[in-house]
Amino acid sequence: MGVPTPKQFCPILERPLISYTLQALERVCWIKDIVVAVTGENMEAMKRIIQKYQHQRISLVEAGVTRHRSIFNGLKALAEDQPDSKLSKPEVVIIHDAVRPFVEEDVLLKVVTAAKEHGAAGAIRPLVSTVISPSADGCLDHSLERARHRASEMPQAFLFDVIYEAYQQCSDYDLEFGTECLQLALKYGHINAKLVEGSPDLWKVTYKRDLYAAESIIKERISQHICIVMDTKEDENHVGHYLEEILKNELNHVQVTSGALCPASRDLEQIILEQCYNYVCVNVMSSDFEETRKLLNMLEESNLSILYPIVVISVYFLDYKSVPFDEKMESLIQIREYAKEVKKRNILLSGLLIYFPQDEQRLQASLRQGVTIIATLIKERNSGLVGQLLVA
Amino acid sequence: MGVPTPKQFCPILERPLISYTLQALERVCWIKDIVVAVTGENMEAMKRIIQKYQHQRISLVEAGVTRHRSIFNGLKALAEDQPDSKLSKPEVVIIHDAVRPFVEEDVLLKVVTAAKEHGAAGAIRPLVSTVISPSADGCLDHSLERARHRASEMPQAFLFDVIYEAYQQCSDYDLEFGTECLQLALKYGHINAKLVEGSPDLWKVTYKRDLYAAESIIKERISQHICIVMDTKEDENHVGHYLEEILKNELNHVQVTSGALCPASRDLEQIILEQCYNYVCVNVMSSDFEETRKLLNMLEESNLSILYPIVVISVYFLDYKSVPFDEKMESLIQIREYAKEVKKRNILLSGLLIYFPQDEQRLQASLRQGVTIIATLIKERNSGLVGQLLVA
């Protein structure tokens, strides 16, 4: 990867890659324990990650010098014969890589079910490139038929006894140079693992470009739901609803929900619980920060921003007739101070001032540019622009 | 990839992927002709791409229904026996994929040199996953030793006669189901191709995540060089040079060059010729757009923005003592109109207003925030924020 940090600790949106993988396993309620093999030098860092991102059901074991030795250490921790362990021996164990953060419950269930039936199972993918075998002098010896081979990916699952016994029997050579757990189950347990088709998202973050790809995928996923919080009633006809309509039309892959900031505000609490990471606070009636402040308080209390940065855009309209530009600007510039404050809590606040000309067509253009800016801020999710007052 | 557009035509920074690959081949001066196999339905689109991005030395041939048939069509166009062709038969031919845009001259030279000596050569990479062979019932039959196998990538190179004769001899089955040109050279020419280690950047854009990765790599590459254009002399001591210094310190992987806009302006012409895609125009003496306008004119005349969007940030300082905030703001808001104009030419213009407090420490903080904003605009290169006046 060309960076000094081990790849599982490389940050994506400022959070280490391994935390995303733990999160993916954690949300599967039928996974009882998660055992992570960590080298001694990274143990403290790993403990801090678990605490900071509030991961649950994690046990740490010391990693070995090779992949197989690390897995063996993890299995030993789960075996019954460890007296001081809080873990109990499972029927089925899943083996997964720290650098495959996008594993879904669906494929986990498939490999576990197949392992129960066959003793072992693993996810596979079609080969992207032809595989060849070189001769000793660096020339082509033969090429393999692409259709007859598959790439072995993760997750894999095993009846615990099958894989634990295989590791207990296997040679030092296996532990040093082997890479494939399915092969151990075959060699020592005589079990032909069931192969399960995985999705492309199972790929292993290996190169720097994979970190870029992972960041883009994560940004895209948390940008699929925008909540609009309006400071007026739903049945009133005004420019805020006009903006909402255009937002819904232009961002047609995105779910747009309306929240309310009335004293009870059940609605909005529900939306926060559903893990929406994008809020557009539309201020039609006032040009102060009261509504935005209420929203920010709710978000802070929810702890939602522990895992991902939340984007909040506070929208105002500039009607030349009522308030002069300079005055409005002067009052809104305070947003910088609020933004600095909430950035500490991983909330990215920006302001958006939308011109409100009388001319219908020009208003349309203003609103559409406003939507472009909102979409950009949500898509990029870059903390470098917090506190800015953008103008559409 | 899950999108309707064929992947070689998917846009990256609004330009189709294949144009990046053509650009990579084109800049290698010893490649005489580039033959592209295109399906009938995409032929017109391909012609428009060649014209729009001013690609040179390209000939188009009709693609076949399989990979091997397309390559064969390309070879036929290069063979001498085509009477109406402007192409002449080469000694060595390179075969490459449209969806591998990051091929470097270095590896092209290596495969060509090896092909001259051995008759055939191809780039290889270590396997990322273990390769397995499934049995008919979808279980593991055996797994291949990872260290003994390689992924066959592109580019590959051949003595023209070797590969052309192989294609002429090969069976319909080969043409329909084969994927590996090195295999044809082995089977019909009895040539064991030389294998050349390639860089990770040779990978094939296959999934949506690969497009994300490619976009991030391209953005990173064109962000490595920033040119600062100052409206004052070099030997004067002022806030502009202070900003330049912080820019150099904070962006320590980035080359920062100073350009000049004096009437002769040899300097800046040179920097534009060297394909710098990032300009920070620092206005210390004035608060108008004269300097920025001169720079924009030079950039427009250079046609540099045909291939990549250029980022231009026009920086002003706000000294409370001399000009009141509102007045400065009002005059600078014109930047929106300029930005709209130059965006049509693929130039992304934004303004940046940096507070200039008397207090040394607060000035430092202002300038550092300015640098963060500059870095963000250059890194993201998003047209959604053009014409904004950002405040540090």
Side-chain angles (χ1 to χ4, degrees):
Chain A
M1 189 162 286
V3 291
T5 314
K7 49 193 172 189
Q8 61 272 31
F9 295 114
C10 285
I12 296 181
L13 290 173
E14 298 180 17
R15 180 153 66 101
L17 180 57
I18 192 166
S19 169
Y20 291 90
T21 311
L22 293 179
Q23 184 192 348
L25 296 172
E26 228 168 33
R27 71 184 162 203
V28 178
C29 59
W30 47 264
I31 293 181
K32 207 176 147 226
D33 292 301
I34 301 168
V35 179
V36 185
V38 190
T39 61
E41 63 178 322
N42 290 318
M43 196 57 88
E44 283 311 308
M46 191 66 222
K47 283 180 186 164
R48 280 195 300 274
I49 289 168
I50 290 169
Q51 193 177 23
K52 179 165 183 190
Y53 302 108
Q54 305 183 359
H55 292 301
Q56 308 290 328
R57 291 178 277 155
I58 315 280
S59 301
L60 301 180
V61 302
E62 182 104 10
V65 290
T66 64
R67 172 181 162 82
H68 271 340
R69 288 195 193 277
S70 292
I71 296 172
F72 196 10
N73 288 354
L75 294 173
K76 281 179 194 159
L78 284 166
E80 279 181 320
D81 50 4
Q82 298 293 307
D84 56 342
S85 169
K86 288 174 210 157
L87 301 166
S88 60
K89 197 185 89 168
E91 185 193 354
V92 174
V93 62
I94 296 168
I95 297 178
H96 193 61
D97 287 331
V99 292
R100 301 190 195 247
F102 299 113
V103 60
E104 296 286 346
E105 177 162 0
D106 171 53
V107 71
L108 289 165
L109 188 60
K110 277 185 192 158
V111 292
V112 164
T113 310
K116 272 191 155 180
E117 195 184 328
H118 292 78
I124 54 167
R125 288 284 307 156
L127 293 174
V128 170
S129 307
T130 301
V131 174
I132 57 164
S133 176
S135 57
D137 61 346
C139 288
L140 175 68
D141 186 79
H142 64 275
S143 79
L144 277 62
E145 212 175 310
R146 213 202 282 188
R148 291 192 177 212
H149 293 84
R150 296 285 181 281
S152 171
E153 309 285 344
M154 291 278 151
Q156 297 176 346
F158 302 86
L159 286 175
F160 184 84
D161 292 336
V162 166
I163 192 69
Y164 190 47
E165 278 162 30
Y167 270 101
Q168 283 175 313
Q169 290 174 53
C170 78
S171 67
D172 274 353
Y173 185 89
D174 286 328
L175 289 175
E176 282 306 307
F177 301 106
T179 56
E180 182 53 72
C181 303
L182 300 182
Q183 180 63 22
L184 296 185
L186 178 62
K187 188 169 167 190
Y188 296 103
H190 308 291
I191 283 172
N192 293 84
K194 181 69 184 173
L195 303 175
V196 173
E197 282 292 340
S199 73
D201 281 352
L202 284 182
W203 105 104
K204 181 156 70 172
V205 174
T206 308
Y207 301 110
K208 206 171 176 192
R209 67 164 189 265
D210 295 315
L211 277 183
Y212 293 147
E215 177 161 312
S216 297
I217 291 171
I218 290 165
K219 281 183 174 176
E220 197 187 30
R221 288 189 178 184
I222 58 177
S223 300
Q224 295 306 305
H225 185 181
I226 299 175
C227 173
I228 300 186
V229 182
M230 201 86 70
D231 67 347
T232 56
K233 292 202 193 93
E234 257 183 60
D235 51 353
E236 281 170 24
N237 190 17
H238 58 71
V239 68
H241 290 307
Y242 210 2
L243 175 72
E244 183 176 348
E245 204 179 290
I246 295 177
L247 201 62
K248 283 178 180 168
N249 283 340
E250 305 260 317
L251 310 180
N252 50 9
H253 296 295
V254 173
Q255 183 195 348
V256 179
T257 313
S258 301
L261 269 169
C262 46
S265 69
R266 274 242 149 264
D267 252 353
L268 195 55
E269 264 174 25
Q270 187 54 37
I271 291 165
I272 292 173
L273 270 177
E274 286 162 10
Q275 307 187 341
C276 171
Y277 291 98
N278 313 285
Y279 295 83
V280 177
C281 190
V282 181
N283 303 278
V284 181
M285 308 298 286
S286 59
S287 58
D288 61 26
F289 291 101
E290 272 319 297
E291 293 289 304
T292 306
R293 211 198 306 241
K294 279 184 215 161
L295 173 64
L296 292 171
N297 284 345
M298 284 183 75
L299 290 171
E300 288 193 337
E301 275 165 30
S302 76
N303 273 336
L304 182 64
S305 58
I306 285 181
L307 294 181
Y308 304 103
I310 299 177
V311 172
V312 176
I313 303 161
S314 196
V315 180
Y316 299 86
F317 296 93
L318 181 67
D319 181 353
Y320 272 116
K321 285 196 303 183
S322 52
V323 191
F325 178 75
D326 299 342
E327 207 173 296
K328 191 101 175 190
M329 209 65 177
E330 196 83 59
S331 91
L332 291 179
I333 214 85
Q334 300 168 38
I335 202 161
R336 291 160 55 88
E337 296 310 315
Y338 292 116
K340 213 184 274 178
E341 204 47 51
V342 294
K343 194 186 155 196
K344 294 174 194 156
R345 302 288 300 267
N346 211 15
I347 297 175
L348 310 179
L349 171 65
S350 326
L352 173 59
L353 186 60
I354 300 183
Y355 279 92
F356 188 180
Q358 287 306 307
D359 178 77
E360 174 75 11
Q361 222 170 346
R362 286 180 55 209
L363 176 59
Q364 274 266 4
S366 272
L367 292 172
R368 232 179 280 114
Q369 211 208 326
V371 166
T372 302
I373 293 170
I374 290 170
T376 302
L377 292 172
I378 288 174
K379 185 183 164 228
E380 304 291 9
R381 210 169 289 266
N382 193 311
S383 64
L385 296 179
V386 297
Q388 296 297 326
L389 182 59
L390 304 163
V391 181
Chain B
M1 189 159 288
V3 292
T5 314
K7 50 195 172 188
Q8 61 272 32
F9 295 115
C10 285
I12 296 181
L13 289 174
E14 297 180 16
R15 180 152 67 99
L17 180 57
I18 191 165
S19 168
Y20 291 90
T21 310
L22 293 178
Q23 184 193 349
L25 296 171
E26 228 167 33
R27 70 185 163 203
V28 178
C29 60
W30 46 263
I31 293 182
K32 207 177 146 225
D33 292 300
I34 301 167
V35 180
V36 186
V38 190
T39 59
E41 63 178 322
N42 290 319
M43 196 58 89
E44 282 311 308
M46 192 65 223
K47 283 181 185 164
R48 281 194 301 274
I49 289 168
I50 290 170
Q51 194 178 23
K52 180 165 183 189
Y53 301 107
Q54 305 183 1
H55 291 302
Q56 307 290 328
R57 292 178 276 155
I58 315 281
S59 302
L60 300 182
V61 300
E62 182 104 9
V65 289
T66 64
R67 172 180 162 84
H68 271 341
R69 289 195 192 277
S70 293
I71 295 172
F72 195 11
N73 288 354
L75 293 172
K76 281 179 193 160
L78 285 166
E80 279 182 322
D81 50 6
Q82 299 291 310
D84 55 344
S85 171
K86 287 173 207 155
L87 300 167
S88 60
K89 196 185 88 167
E91 185 192 354
V92 174
V93 62
I94 296 168
I95 298 178
H96 193 62
D97 288 330
V99 292
R100 300 190 195 249
F102 299 113
V103 59
E104 296 286 348
E105 176 161 2
D106 172 52
V107 70
L108 288 165
L109 188 61
K110 276 185 192 158
V111 292
V112 164
T113 309
K116 271 192 156 180
E117 194 184 329
H118 292 79
I124 54 167
R125 288 285 306 156
L127 293 176
V128 171
S129 306
T130 301
V131 174
I132 57 163
S133 176
S135 57
D137 61 346
C139 287
L140 175 68
D141 186 78
H142 62 275
S143 79
L144 278 62
E145 213 175 310
R146 213 203 281 189
R148 290 193 176 210
H149 292 85
R150 296 286 182 280
S152 171
E153 308 287 343
M154 291 278 150
Q156 296 176 346
F158 302 86
L159 287 175
F160 185 83
D161 292 335
V162 165
I163 193 68
Y164 191 46
E165 278 162 31
Y167 270 101
Q168 283 174 314
Q169 289 173 53
C170 78
S171 66
D172 274 353
Y173 184 89
D174 286 328
L175 290 175
E176 283 304 307
F177 302 105
T179 55
E180 181 54 71
C181 303
L182 300 181
Q183 180 62 22
L184 295 184
L186 178 62
K187 187 171 168 189
Y188 296 104
H190 307 290
I191 283 170
N192 293 83
K194 181 71 184 171
L195 304 176
V196 172
E197 280 292 340
S199 72
D201 281 351
L202 284 182
W203 105 103
K204 181 156 72 171
V205 173
T206 308
Y207 300 110
K208 206 172 176 190
R209 67 165 189 264
D210 296 316
L211 277 182
Y212 293 146
E215 178 162 312
S216 297
I217 290 171
I218 290 165
K219 280 183 175 176
E220 197 187 31
R221 288 190 178 183
I222 58 177
S223 301
Q224 294 307 305
H225 185 182
I226 300 176
C227 172
I228 300 185
V229 183
M230 200 86 71
D231 67 347
T232 56
K233 290 200 192 97
E234 256 181 63
D235 51 354
E236 282 169 22
N237 191 16
H238 57 72
V239 68
H241 290 307
Y242 209 2
L243 176 71
E244 182 176 348
E245 203 178 291
I246 296 178
L247 201 62
K248 282 177 180 169
N249 283 340
E250 305 260 318
L251 309 180
N252 51 7
H253 296 296
V254 174
Q255 182 194 349
V256 180
T257 314
S258 301
L261 270 169
C262 48
S265 68
R266 275 240 149 267
D267 250 355
L268 194 55
E269 263 172 27
Q270 187 54 36
I271 291 165
I272 292 173
L273 270 177
E274 285 163 11
Q275 307 187 339
C276 172
Y277 291 98
N278 312 285
Y279 295 84
V280 178
C281 190
V282 181
N283 303 278
V284 182
M285 309 299 286
S286 59
S287 58
D288 61 26
F289 291 101
E290 271 321 296
E291 294 288 304
T292 306
R293 210 196 308 240
K294 279 184 213 158
L295 172 64
L296 291 172
N297 284 344
M298 284 181 76
L299 290 171
E300 288 193 336
E301 274 165 29
S302 75
N303 272 338
L304 182 63
S305 58
I306 285 181
L307 294 182
Y308 302 102
I310 299 176
V311 172
V312 176
I313 302 162
S314 196
V315 179
Y316 299 86
F317 296 93
L318 181 67
D319 181 351
Y320 273 115
K321 285 197 305 186
S322 52
V323 191
F325 178 74
D326 299 342
E327 207 172 296
K328 193 100 174 190
M329 209 65 177
E330 196 83 60
S331 91
L332 291 178
I333 212 86
Q334 301 167 38
I335 204 162
R336 290 159 56 86
E337 296 310 314
Y338 292 117
K340 213 184 276 179
E341 203 49 49
V342 295
K343 195 187 153 194
K344 294 174 194 156
R345 301 289 300 267
N346 211 15
I347 297 174
L348 310 179
L349 171 65
S350 326
L352 172 59
L353 185 61
I354 299 182
Y355 279 92
F356 189 178
Q358 287 305 307
D359 178 77
E360 174 75 11
Q361 220 170 349
R362 286 179 55 206
L363 175 61
Q364 273 265 7
S366 271
L367 291 172
R368 232 180 279 115
Q369 211 208 326
V371 167
T372 302
I373 293 170
I374 290 170
T376 302
L377 291 171
I378 288 174
K379 185 183 164 228
E380 304 290 10
R381 211 168 288 267
N382 193 312
S383 64
L385 296 178
V386 297
Q388 295 298 326
L389 181 61
L390 303 164
V391 180

